[in-house]
Amino acid sequence: MTDNHEHPYIPKLKQQLNDRKIDRRDFLRTATLLGMSATAAYAFAGKVAGGGMVAPAAAQAALPKGGTLRIGMRVHEIKEPQAVSWTEASNIIRPVAEYLSYTGHDNVTKPYLLEKWEASEDLKTWTLHLRKNVTWRNGKKFVADHAIWNIRRVLDPKTGSSVLGLMKGYMLTEFETGEKDDKGNPKKSTKLWDSRAIEKVDDNTFRLNCQTAQLAVPEHFFHYPFFMLDPEENGAFKPGFSGTGAFVLESHEVGRRAVFKARKDYWGTGPYLDSIEYIDLGNDNSAWIAALASKQIDGLYEVDINQIDAIKALPHVAIYPATTSQTGVARVRPDTKPFGDKRVRLAMRLATDAQAVVDTVFRGSATVGEHHHVAPIHPEYAKLPPMKRDVAKAKQLLADAGFPNGIDAEIGAKVQPAWEVAAVQVMVEQWKEAGIRVKINTMPAQNYWDNWTKMPFGFTSWAHRPLGVMTLGLAYRTGVPWNESGYSNKEFDELLSKAEGILDVDKRREVTKRLEEILQEDGTIVQPLWRVVNTAYDKKVLGFKMHPTQYIFPEQLAVKT
Amino acid sequence: MGRLIVRRLFYLVVTMLLASVALFLLFELSPEAVVVNELGPYSTQEQRQIWLEQNGFNRPPHERYLAWLSRFAVGDLGHSRLFNVPVAQILATRLGNTAILAAFFFAALIPLSLSLGALAGMKEGSWLDRVISFICVLTASVPPFASTVLLSAILVFSLALLPGTSSMMDGFSYRELIMPVAVLVLYDFGYVARMTRASMAEVMMTPYVRTALLKGLPYRRVILSHALRNALIAPFTVIMLHVNWLVSGVIVVEFFFAFKGFGSLVLEASLAKDLHLLEACTMTTVVIAVCTQLAADIGYMFLNPRIRFK
């Protein structure tokens, strides 16, 4: 690569790959992140580390054209595409609207509507180059003004987008609106931290000037509601709405189905299908399986672990698993009794047998959690010595903390999905042996999310994220909105900021290792497992790979004729 | 009879009012739930506030209730948040679907249960009676949530004879109706047949039937023109009350077979906390309950001339 704008770190990265200090995946991830084009990065990785890793576009060239695909999935109401709160809803938008970046099935983030990006050495300035051949449905070109309009829109609190929470730290600043709320406290709102935070360079280029270093900007572009919508339509969602994607929404009936027809002038590879339909079969899992069995649908959004056996019995269906960084954590708030003492929290971890939870709840098909919320599939994951169950030590710690007779507590848990309560039940039984007597308070998901950050003790599910530092920054940094346990540790915060500014995966891993240790030692969570998500498709469906986020990319799919 | 109808209608309005207030109050218990449902768990407090304001949730509850009630009273059922269409529209579609299901259900249930019940009741204690009663008790004791699984395991998964769900995506389909109707009939015919049997057996013991038989009338004619009419009074009431049961009892079946009817609508509306839709569903249920009761009373009067309502 002889690009003048090459990030100064890229040559070093190449060297590391040459010396086999990093593996292909880490190389691809970081190199593409720093703006090396995906083709170039894959080519370089292939040359050095040997073949096997073909760039995704080339692998799919041989798919047959035509046909209709029906996928069973909830069809939700969508009022505001950039504020959808469930992955299912985003799957209804994705055939039409696209993202600036694309995190592949291999956890490598590549440019998508962007052609490439460049990050400054301090990771505060991101220069983003758009592809020049992308068009909206009416033939108009996709330009920098459109992208900027979309970014401003998701960062506007009125839009209600969850991207705001993600980018707040490096793009926004809080200010007082001058109004007072019911309790007389001044109302706060957010705005861009600087008038030049988003800066247009030319028609195809713009720049993000961040207030703090941020490693995961491209990953954030792939957040599920971060769609590029047509400013001309002011982001409306309706049949025929404009987008850059491979399909056109033909009809959308909430609770029934959504139908898409292929677009002929799509800029990218595909689509292969003539049309794709999402069919809503209600909330009952057995209906989904029955529909798949009788070939009323060709694929499912997700298959529950309890139904795997039923699916396996269907000869025309294949199961697709994906290892994810989706998880659930039993977390406590240190500002409530008796969880203020870190010995109590450690005792809870020591009283837990994560393997047993995995075996009981997921019949072994999940990855054992290590109580620090960095997943083995994360690039900066550092393997720590396994944390073995030690009931005697847990009891000792409790006694030291002033609870020789153990403690009593109540844990909040959602009734759905079912695995969460099951996991909690297994852990509660394990804790009992160490004298930690916990009552389970189950509640509907809505009620849980109503006060998930306030509950003294609760079991919270966390979505998949491609980087370990992303979750740590969202959930455990002092004072951030999603820090549900109210965790505050100065050393942790400083190390985390440091890690977020380190590009070198090896160096970042060293810091992450310490972060993981802090969480194991002092943290607020018991984390039993990492989920494996499964889905099932008819064997006639080609090109399908389960994405860890459960996003569906219909332009990659085809049916055997 | 006029007074009876007026009195019933009065009760209907009172019940509807009470039910609507109760429902409204339940929702007031957790106002945040609506917005969390709408914007998702990861929305910030500020975003939620803005949404609540934009959607008029900041007005006092009694004001919102009265506004809703005054619109409802003149036939404006409001807008469904969940489906983003007028409530009247989705309600009509779903009620229509359930009506189709109900029509096929009754078309299968009535002949089956009445004939089996009458056959069993003709000669109490005969082997035919024993066999029919056994089958009735057996099927009636398997609840729908079990028989759905059982039936689809056999007919859909093992034999692949029938479609597994009944969402009618390609338009109306008789084949897709078979499973839900079968489950409902299987669960219900035993009960109605047993009622018919008891009623029939009772009639067969009455002096006039004995007299008819002793007079030498053909057995067939005694049954068809003398016994049966009187024996049908009790099952008629039971069947009318089944319309009620059907409206809420189909939830399991509709849910399992992804049938887009009234039952699944109620379930979805309550899960999504769609207040307008749920209020309309509740009102519909109340209207159906009161009307079927009224119809049962009036029909009863015609079947049994001894009964006169004052």
Side-chain angles (χ1 to χ4, degrees):
Chain A
M1 218 160 112
T2 51
D3 197 324
N4 292 336
H5 298 292
E6 191 174 85
H7 192 277
Y9 185 71
I10 284 184
K12 219 160 135 195
L13 207 60
K14 288 181 177 169
Q15 191 53 47
Q16 284 184 330
L17 181 68
N18 265 327
D19 303 343
R20 300 298 162 93
K21 275 189 185 154
I22 54 173
D23 66 12
R24 280 180 309 184
R25 184 165 289 191
D26 286 339
F27 170 78
L28 289 171
R29 232 204 63 74
T30 318
T32 49
L33 186 72
L34 292 175
M36 194 171 177
S37 87
T39 332
Y42 275 94
F44 187 83
K47 201 166 68 192
V48 175
M53 221 160 198
V54 195
Q60 293 192 353
L63 292 176
K65 286 221 166 215
T68 293
L69 196 63
R70 287 183 154 190
I71 297 174
M73 186 180 76
R74 295 312 309 265
V75 176
H76 291 290
E77 162 62 0
I78 296 164
K79 288 198 186 74
E80 169 51 74
Q82 286 169 339
V84 290
S85 39
W86 318 105
T87 305
E88 283 107 315
S90 79
N91 276 334
I92 302 280
I93 304 164
R94 199 167 299 104
V96 179
E98 298 178 293
Y99 301 120
L100 290 175
S101 68
Y102 171 81
T103 302
H105 301 82
D106 52 2
N107 226 17
V108 177
T109 302
K110 296 175 274 271
Y112 193 57
L113 288 179
L114 293 173
E115 189 175 55
K116 59 175 181 176
W117 50 64
E118 290 137 21
S120 66
E121 210 163 347
D122 64 356
L123 294 177
K124 282 185 177 178
T125 309
W126 286 79
T127 311
L128 307 156
H129 302 268
L130 294 176
R131 280 179 195 274
K132 295 183 184 72
N133 59 339
V134 178
T135 55
W136 297 102
R137 208 188 143 204
N138 61 11
K140 185 179 55 178
K141 254 188 81 175
F142 173 68
V143 291
D145 282 329
H146 299 154
I148 292 172
W149 180 85
N150 275 290
I151 297 176
R152 283 184 182 279
R153 193 164 183 273
V154 293
L155 293 180
D156 182 349
K158 284 199 192 72
T159 310
S161 177
S162 59
V163 178
L164 189 142
L166 218 54
M167 298 181 98
K168 193 175 170 186
Y170 61 96
M171 290 298 286
L172 301 174
T173 154
E174 277 195 350
F175 71 102
E176 292 184 3
T177 55
E179 291 173 54
K180 305 251 173 174
D181 67 8
D182 302 343
K183 289 174 196 135
N185 300 318
K187 273 191 186 173
K188 282 184 181 170
S189 187
T190 52
K191 61 178 182 192
L192 287 174
W193 74 280
D194 190 273
S195 60
R196 294 192 312 116
I198 309 171
E199 186 189 355
K200 183 180 168 183
V201 178
D202 59 47
D203 258 2
N204 296 304
T205 320
F206 67 103
R207 211 171 265 144
L208 294 188
N209 299 304
C210 315
Q211 55 186 338
T212 54
Q214 179 54 250
L215 176 71
V217 171
E219 267 83 8
H220 291 171
F221 286 151
F222 191 63
H223 187 48
Y224 60 83
F226 210 157
F227 293 107
M228 289 297 122
L229 303 172
D230 193 343
E232 237 171 59
E233 296 182 354
N234 204 19
F237 175 87
K238 55 177 190 263
F241 78 103
S242 177
T244 57
F247 290 83
V248 176
L249 175 66
E250 190 155 275
S251 69
H252 176 248
E253 289 170 84
V254 179
R256 212 171 119 79
R257 71 168 148 190
V259 181
F260 298 87
K261 290 269 180 286
R263 196 177 129 174
K264 293 218 166 57
D265 55 344
Y266 180 54
W267 63 270
T269 325
Y272 304 95
L273 299 167
D274 289 334
S275 60
I276 181 160
E277 296 181 16
Y278 290 101
I279 310 281
D280 191 328
L281 296 168
N283 258 335
D284 188 0
N285 289 330
S286 17
W288 303 88
I289 308 288
L292 191 62
S294 53
K295 302 188 182 180
Q296 290 177 306
I297 52 174
D298 311 310
L300 289 173
Y301 167 70
E302 185 179 0
V303 170
D304 193 82
I305 184 76
N306 297 320
Q307 294 172 310
I308 291 282
D309 287 339
I311 297 274
K312 278 186 185 153
L314 302 174
H316 67 287
V317 172
I319 296 175
Y320 296 86
T323 309
T324 70
S325 64
Q326 289 184 33
T327 184
V329 298
R331 65 112 192 98
V332 296
R333 283 192 70 96
D335 53 5
T336 57
K337 275 186 178 171
F339 307 118
D341 194 312
K342 71 179 210 180
R343 285 170 295 193
V344 174
R345 305 197 295 263
L346 181 58
M348 293 176 67
R349 285 187 279 275
L350 287 172
T352 309
D353 182 352
Q355 185 65 51
V357 181
V358 169
D359 292 343
T360 318
V361 181
F362 285 100
R363 293 193 258 158
S365 70
T367 311
V368 171
E370 293 157 311
H371 314 298
H372 54 56
H373 217 152
V374 181
I377 59 165
H378 285 144
E380 65 269 66
Y381 168 80
K383 183 114 188 92
L384 298 182
M387 202 163 174
K388 288 236 170 63
R389 188 175 194 226
D390 191 341
V391 176
K393 196 173 165 201
K395 277 186 176 160
Q396 185 56 47
L397 280 166
L398 284 178
D400 293 349
F403 303 100
N405 300 321
I407 55 170
D408 292 280
E410 185 181 281
I411 185 169
K414 287 179 276 161
V415 282
Q416 278 292 338
W419 73 265
E420 294 188 14
V421 183
V424 171
Q425 279 166 340
V426 177
M427 287 191 291
V428 165
E429 286 306 313
Q430 295 172 352
W431 293 336
K432 217 179 257 170
E433 284 174 49
I436 302 163
R437 295 170 295 273
V438 178
K439 231 177 78 190
I440 307 174
N441 176 18
T442 54
M443 58 189 89
Q446 307 300 350
N447 298 17
Y448 186 84
W449 293 122
D450 271 356
N451 51 42
W452 67 295
T453 55
K454 296 170 207 119
M455 227 175 274
F457 188 10
F459 190 80
T460 306
S461 52
W462 281 85
H464 170 86
R465 290 194 174 75
L467 295 185
V469 287
M470 278 170 83
T471 327
L472 295 184
L474 283 170
Y476 306 103
R477 173 175 272 133
T478 306
V480 293
W482 292 0
N483 185 341
E484 51 169 343
S485 46
Y487 185 62
S488 177
N489 182 324
K490 201 155 166 270
E491 189 196 355
F492 180 87
D493 288 348
E494 282 166 9
L495 283 170
L496 181 59
S497 300
K498 196 172 148 202
E500 283 170 338
I502 304 178
L503 270 176
D504 186 323
V505 177
D506 282 331
K507 288 214 179 101
R508 180 146 35 96
R509 189 176 296 120
E510 279 164 30
V511 183
T512 316
K513 185 172 178 222
R514 184 62 203 133
L515 288 170
E516 293 175 3
E517 285 165 358
I518 293 176
L519 283 180
Q520 278 197 348
E521 190 60 32
D522 177 62
T524 49
I525 59 167
V526 177
Q527 186 199 10
L529 53 91
W530 297 102
R531 278 190 71 198
V532 172
V533 289
N534 293 287
T535 194
Y537 274 76
D538 197 304
K539 283 178 182 157
K540 74 175 186 184
V541 179
L542 304 171
F544 181 80
K545 266 183 282 174
M546 180 70 163
H547 198 278
T549 55
Q550 294 175 270
Y551 292 3
I552 298 168
F553 302 97
E555 68 277 4
Q556 300 174 357
L557 303 178
V559 282
K560 229 182 263 175
T561 38
Chain B
M1 197 165 100
R3 278 181 63 190
L4 170 84
I5 294 174
V6 171
R7 194 156 13 113
R8 278 290 156 80
L9 287 179
F10 173 72
Y11 286 143
L12 173 69
V13 173
V14 173
T15 319
M16 284 171 84
L17 269 177
L18 288 178
S20 73
V21 172
L23 220 91
F24 202 85
L25 288 178
L26 271 179
F27 270 76
E28 282 305 310
L29 289 179
S30 130
E32 280 265 292
V34 178
V35 60
V36 174
N37 197 57
E38 197 69 21
L39 294 182
Y42 302 128
S43 49
T44 66
Q45 203 54 39
E46 189 203 356
Q47 289 170 328
R48 291 180 190 179
Q49 276 311 323
I50 293 176
W51 189 91
L52 285 173
E53 238 161 76
Q54 280 172 349
N55 289 275
F57 280 88
N58 280 8
R59 288 184 296 152
H62 63 273
E63 212 175 277
R64 273 183 289 135
Y65 176 74
L66 288 177
W68 170 82
L69 187 67
S70 57
R71 280 200 312 269
F72 192 88
V74 295
D76 176 6
L77 305 189
H79 194 83
S80 162
R81 244 183 345 95
L82 174 61
F83 294 96
N84 198 21
V85 290
V87 169
Q89 186 188 326
I90 186 88
L91 191 65
T93 321
R94 296 302 191 88
L95 269 178
N97 288 347
T98 295
I100 294 174
L101 183 63
F104 280 86
F105 164 65
F106 283 118
L109 174 83
I110 293 173
L112 184 70
S113 54
L114 292 191
S115 53
L116 283 181
L119 279 178
M122 270 176 349
K123 270 201 190 125
E124 220 184 344
S126 66
W127 65 268
L128 189 64
D129 177 28
R130 298 269 182 242
V131 171
I132 292 174
S133 295
F134 175 74
I135 294 172
C136 290
V137 173
L138 185 75
T139 54
S141 57
V142 183
F145 62 80
S147 54
T148 43
V149 179
L150 196 69
L151 276 187
S152 51
I154 298 170
L155 295 172
V156 178
F157 284 88
S158 299
L159 302 176
L161 284 177
L162 290 169
T165 54
S166 315
S167 54
M168 312 266 169
M169 278 304 148
D170 300 315
F172 184 77
S173 151
Y174 288 104
R175 286 190 71 219
E176 291 188 11
L177 262 184
I178 298 176
M179 289 287 283
V181 169
V183 169
L184 287 172
V185 170
L186 202 62
Y187 176 62
D188 211 40
F189 88 90
Y191 178 66
V192 181
R194 292 283 292 169
M195 293 298 274
T196 317
R197 176 193 168 275
S199 178
M200 188 72 184
E202 200 185 323
V203 171
M204 291 306 281
M205 303 283 279
T206 52
Y208 79 90
V209 172
R210 209 168 44 222
T211 315
L213 284 172
L214 288 175
K215 266 196 331 194
L217 277 180
Y219 191 64
R220 200 183 154 80
R221 231 179 108 196
V222 175
I223 298 289
L224 288 179
S225 51
H226 295 271
L228 212 48
R229 189 186 159 190
N230 286 317
L232 285 185
I233 298 175
F236 172 77
T237 325
V238 171
I239 288 170
M240 282 317 281
L241 291 177
H242 265 68
V243 177
N244 261 323
W245 169 80
L246 197 67
V247 167
S248 51
V250 286
I251 291 183
V252 172
V253 171
E254 290 191 357
F255 186 57
F256 190 90
F257 293 111
F259 186 84
K260 307 286 177 196
F262 184 73
S264 55
L265 183 70
V266 173
L267 185 72
E268 284 165 42
S270 37
L271 286 178
K273 302 191 165 52
D274 188 343
L275 183 58
H276 285 180
L277 185 54
L278 206 53
E279 289 273 17
C281 289
T282 314
M283 299 302 112
T284 312
T285 321
V286 175
V287 170
I288 292 176
V290 175
C291 290
T292 46
Q293 223 167 19
L294 192 64
D297 284 345
I298 295 170
Y300 206 68
M301 220 158 62
F302 283 110
L303 281 174
N304 190 345
R306 279 173 300 182
I307 295 174
R308 284 285 173 268
F309 291 101
K310 295 244 163 57

